[in-house]
Amino acid sequence: MSLSPGSFETAKAIVDVSYKVIGEKKVIRLKNEILAPGKPFANHALQVTSEVVRHTDGKGGYVLSIGIRALKPIEMVHFEATYMADLNDQRMMANGFQSWSQAREFTKHDKIPAIRSSIAWYTQLNLQGDYDIFEHTGEKGLIHSSSYTHFRDVNNVLSFFGSVSENLGYTYFKGDFKNNTLGIYKDVLGKHIESNQEVIFVKVFMAQGLDAEAAIWDTYAQFYPDKRAIRGNDNPSRHVNGWTSWYNYYGDVSEKIINENVEALQKHKYPINIFQIDDGFQTAIGDWLSINEKFPSGMKSVADKIKGAGFKAGLWLAPYAVAFTSRIVTEHPEWLIIDPETKKPVVAGPNWGGFYALDMYNPGAREYLKHVFEVVLQDWGYDMLKLDFCFAAAMIPRMGKSRGEIMWDAMELIREFVGPDKLILGCGVPLAAAFRKVDYCRIGSDVAPWWEDSKLKLLHVRERVSTANSLVSTLTRWTMSDRMFGNDPDVMILRDSNNKLTPDERYTLCVLNNILGSLVFSSDNVSLYGNDEHLLYAATFPKVVPKVHSVLEFRPNCFMVKFTVKDPQGKFRRYTTYTNLTDEDQTIYLPESSDDTHLLFATDNDMHMSKADKKEFIFFHPSSATPLKLHETKTFLHIPEPKSEEELLFLGSFSHIVPGVELEQFKKEGGEVKVDFRDVNTRKHKVYASLGTYLHQHRSFVPPVFKVNGVQADYEWIPVGGQGEGRPKSEVLAFIIEKA
């Protein structure tokens, strides 16, 4: 069977179901049952049905549903449906369990191993993922994906499968490349179904199309109600710059440090939107209203300081985490989730010396959490909450609910307590439970002031703190941004001190986070920046608001990002970014010529350094080959051929990581060129522009009159790199517009 959604209209599935009749201990297992749409199977305790219907948006999608009707009260143990599917020459997207769990595409030659048992026992890092929920076989060609997946063939035809029933349990898609099967596994453990009650455990949106990833996600998002404070998908106000304390000061943050950084951002005129205080203000995890001695003026005073500088104030909490050392543990042990077998509190992770999980169904715990949010948001006046370690709410199934059902309830409760107007940044959360409930969400592991943690990589920790690990998820989960929430790809670390990242690695982190993220944080103290650090950070303002069209891994760990940005006149400029995450230099091949691609302008790390490499080409012919160093990123502006000798064209600029975003105005009016720049970009500006023909094989051409704001502009002849499409050696006649 093909992966075409229409194929499932008549497809048969092999179903395995396990359950217990409530009141009995015996687990009943039904294996290898045949299930086809409209042809249920049943026994004395349950009936399983399926159907496949066309989605009503008229774009070719389908919805697959599988339901279980209980004929007696039952408790679910296991459910899986497997379909034959031709997976030859396909790449499968494996979405990790939660924010920090790596997401990427895999082939039939790849595998997803579990954390080694000895390491899991020693570190308890297994608790941060789904290693105890879903079996990681480590077998080559057996790939699994949480909540959604897609298959991509060699022609870039995408076959998408996305769960829309995560409120009933975690869904896993299993691609078995050896046996050519697609499995749908539902984590139903512990779910109670009453007699004569039917539960549609599996509900999957399916769609297929050529270069259709963005369009498919536009439809997929519509299955989730929009409860965000920043509503709508195409909302430019969602794209913001920010500062957070964690990735420079970690738990050593203090009121003095906060004040210093607020003042430094003001002094250097960096107009960030959100200033967020991370972990380190409280006396213990869970005791959120007990403030330590490092914040002597209290958290309201600190929020007032932040907002007085013109920034929104954000604060970090881990609402469902309770440290072993918390007062809650001794004063309210009934607020903790208790393991029904051991009768002890459930350990949710190793952080802070270990922590338990708060029971949100306990009335006292629930009222406490509500009170915390009211104090922080209303009394203290914070505008955004970063809510972390959310997975702790759903470590075990209980109360007749599956783990995924509990996680869904936990995120619904957060949105209810925060209210409709304050911002939520989710983190450490299974992502589907956060879809369109939170305004921003982390979509990768923590970055670090180093590239990779080779030890944890070898130990198969998918949630490891690592810049390289984080970037792969950023490049894979780009489709969520704006549709489900604003992607938070984590911070960019640009500082020279306490940073092992090379200049190219810092630039790669900076560019990819800004293009593929909506919320872009830094943690650097800008008062300690040198000239080059200021140049690069200033080049990120204003925050670029891109429309990403595709992200393709065209070679292992080499990615190409295609996007557009609206110019001041409302037209879209086209860009392609290449990034090399491999550990060796690569050769890339630039986009071919088209209606909007007659020439390409390159911007890279050199352009944002005081001692740039003047030998590097900045203009390239289409289809040309050019080198890309290890961990290097370059962005190319597509320049069209002029339609007339009077047409004004933007050829490139030097003061933003995405050339042209810094322009407030760029147009021809009354025979003159009008150019203005955005106030938030404080860089010295240099823009290349042309009137009519700009590409020449000799210099006999007489430059036209080119007046900018009433003054004749100077020009340069600039050589073009590459020999793509057999083009002869050429130069660009570029007029120069400069402003200090």
Side-chain angles (χ1 to χ4, degrees), residues 84-218:
M84 297 301 299
D86 184 1
L87 304 185
N88 289 318
D89 300 319
Q90 299 280 345
R91 296 172 60 88
M92 181 179 175
M93 201 288 302
N95 180 48
F97 172 63
Q98 55 113 330
S99 299
W100 313 330
S101 309
Q102 188 192 77
R104 72 171 310 149
E105 290 184 351
F106 287 106
T107 71
K108 63 183 179 181
H109 303 294
D110 297 313
K111 57 187 177 181
I112 305 178
I115 296 177
R116 294 178 183 174
S117 57
S118 58
I119 300 302
W121 176 84
Y122 179 72
T123 66
Q124 292 189 310
L125 291 177
N126 58 300
L127 298 177
Q128 295 183 348
D130 58 353
Y131 307 95
D132 301 332
I133 296 174
F134 183 88
E135 182 185 8
H136 294 50
T137 66
E139 293 182 25
K140 186 181 293 186
L142 188 57
I143 307 301
H144 67 269
S145 184
S146 177
S147 300
Y148 74 94
T149 190
H150 67 240
F151 295 87
R152 190 191 306 273
D153 72 10
V154 293
N155 297 314
N156 203 30
V157 172
L158 198 85
S159 303
F160 177 85
F161 301 85
S163 171
V164 292
S165 60
E166 295 302 272
N167 59 313
L168 295 171
Y170 298 132
T171 305
Y172 286 85
F173 296 93
K174 299 170 62 174
D176 186 339
F177 286 82
K178 293 180 180 179
N179 297 305
N180 273 320
T181 62
L182 171 62
I184 303 174
Y185 171 88
K186 195 77 179 182
D187 178 37
V188 295
L189 182 66
K191 172 64 177 175
H192 288 190
I193 309 179
E194 300 300 325
S195 182
N196 293 319
Q197 178 188 7
E198 183 176 21
V199 178
I200 309 299
F201 278 113
V202 173
K203 193 171 184 181
V204 175
F205 170 65
M206 306 181 294
Q208 189 179 68
L210 176 65
D211 298 325
E213 202 163 352
I216 288 172
W217 271 81
D218 286 341

Side-chain angles (χ1 to χ4, degrees), residues 142-365:
L142 188 57
I143 307 301
H144 67 269
S145 184
S146 177
S147 300
Y148 74 94
T149 190
H150 67 240
F151 295 87
R152 190 191 306 273
D153 72 10
V154 293
N155 297 314
N156 203 30
V157 172
L158 198 85
S159 303
F160 177 85
F161 301 85
S163 171
V164 292
S165 60
E166 295 302 272
N167 59 313
L168 295 171
Y170 298 132
T171 305
Y172 286 85
F173 296 93
K174 299 170 62 174
D176 186 339
F177 286 82
K178 293 180 180 179
N179 297 305
N180 273 320
T181 62
L182 171 62
I184 303 174
Y185 171 88
K186 195 77 179 182
D187 178 37
V188 295
L189 182 66
K191 172 64 177 175
H192 288 190
I193 309 179
E194 300 300 325
S195 182
N196 293 319
Q197 178 188 7
E198 183 176 21
V199 178
I200 309 299
F201 278 113
V202 173
K203 193 171 184 181
V204 175
F205 170 65
M206 306 181 294
Q208 189 179 68
L210 176 65
D211 298 325
E213 202 163 352
I216 288 172
W217 271 81
D218 286 341
T219 300
Y220 182 45
Q222 294 172 12
F223 285 93
Y224 291 84
D226 196 346
K227 299 183 178 181
R228 300 170 289 182
I230 305 175
R231 296 202 174 185
N233 292 347
D234 298 322
N235 191 335
S237 66
R238 185 178 289 112
H239 288 258
V240 294
N241 305 87
W243 189 93
T244 179
S245 59
W246 183 253
Y247 294 88
N248 197 354
Y249 304 101
Y250 299 96
D252 294 329
V253 65
S254 67
E255 182 177 336
K256 181 176 181 290
I257 286 171
I258 294 303
N259 290 339
E260 287 175 354
N261 280 274
V262 168
E263 291 162 8
L265 289 163
Q266 285 181 290
K267 176 184 175 181
H268 292 280
K269 298 180 179 179
Y270 288 124
I272 66 164
N273 305 92
I274 300 172
F275 188 106
Q276 182 241 315
I277 303 168
D278 214 281
D279 182 13
F281 65 90
Q282 72 289 337
T283 55
I285 299 299
D287 298 337
W288 304 115
L289 303 182
S290 176
I291 310 306
N292 63 42
E293 70 283 353
K294 295 183 296 177
F295 288 82
S297 301
M299 301 310 292
K300 182 182 187 306
S301 175
V302 178
D304 290 343
K305 170 81 173 182
I306 294 168
K307 296 200 287 187
F311 312 141
K312 289 184 184 296
L315 189 66
W316 176 93
L317 301 172
Y320 298 118
V322 181
F324 292 172
T325 56
S326 169
R327 278 169 27 196
I328 289 177
V329 173
T330 55
E331 296 178 7
H332 294 285
E334 74 278 8
W335 290 1
L336 305 177
I337 298 174
I338 304 300
D339 188 317
E341 295 184 4
T342 65
K343 310 301 180 184
K344 294 180 179 180
V346 170
V347 176
N351 310 71
W352 313 289
F355 67 97
Y356 299 125
L358 190 74
D359 182 358
M360 65 173 169
Y361 298 119
N362 178 281

Side-chain angles (χ1 to χ4, degrees), residues 503-504 507 536 603-609 632-634:
D504 280 332
Y507 184 75
L536 181 53
T603 180
D604 60 13
N605 193 32
D606 274 336
M607 204 165 281
H608 307 290
M609 299 180 73
E632 184 182 27
T633 294
K634 290 186 177 184

Side-chain angles (χ1 to χ4, degrees), residues 587-612:
T587 298
I588 60 171
Y589 296 89
L590 301 181
E592 62 185 14
S593 59
S594 63
D595 289 343
D596 60 2
T597 310
H598 187 57
L599 195 68
L600 295 153
F601 174 82
T603 180
D604 60 13
N605 193 32
D606 274 336
M607 204 165 281
H608 307 290
M609 299 180 73
S610 53
K611 295 181 180 179

